[in-house]
Amino acid sequence: LRLPTSVALVYDAVYVIAHALSSLQKKKNSIRLDPITCEQEKPWPLGKAFTDELKKVKTQGLTGPIGFDKDGRRTTFQLNVVNVQGQSVAQKLGFWTPTKGLNMTE
């Protein structure tokens, strides 16, 4: 099964949100969602706690390992460096990660 990258990223994002909401519900015993309106700025009372739970998620997703730093940036991912010429198959030349930087294999 080959999925477009965007589909895999959306799947992983929904999974992370569901995981964080489940964790929050276990800690708070219930999650109350009030009606939302664009006319009134009213923060969600559990917004900070939910954000904290999002940052704690560590799992394996369709796009690879998923984890976040204290600022909520994804830290455990790898970007492949590829060479594409015309319509030919992409040749992997190396990869980049936030922790190791650039690693060229070709």
Side-chain angles (χ1 to χ4, degrees):
L1 177 66
R2 293 185 60 103
L3 294 174
T5 302
S6 58
V7 173
L9 286 166
V10 168
Y11 178 92
D12 285 353
V14 171
Y15 181 82
V16 167
I17 290 168
H19 185 75
L21 283 173
S22 176
S23 179
L24 183 62
Q25 185 173 19
K26 289 175 185 170
K27 290 181 179 179
K28 301 291 183 182
N29 291 328
S30 72
I31 296 176
R32 184 172 160 216
L33 299 174
D34 294 327
I36 297 172
T37 177
C38 294
E39 285 78 40
Q40 181 180 354
E41 288 186 33
K42 182 179 174 189
W44 184 34
L46 294 176
K48 171 78 170 89
F50 175 61
T51 302
D52 291 342
E53 291 305 316
L54 282 171
K55 293 176 190 175
K56 292 177 189 174
V57 173
K58 292 196 182 336
T59 189
Q60 181 68 33
L62 294 179
T63 59
I66 299 173
F68 303 94
D69 67 12
K70 65 179 179 57
D71 297 316
R73 293 186 192 101
R74 188 170 176 183
T75 56
T76 51
F77 65 93
Q78 176 176 303
L79 301 175
N80 291 329
V81 178
V82 296
N83 182 15
V84 179
Q85 295 179 354
Q87 299 293 327
S88 65
V89 176
Q91 175 190 6
K92 183 176 175 182
L93 302 177
F95 64 90
W96 180 92
T97 67
T99 55
K100 296 179 183 175
L102 184 62
N103 182 343
M104 299 301 286
T105 55
E106 288 287 323

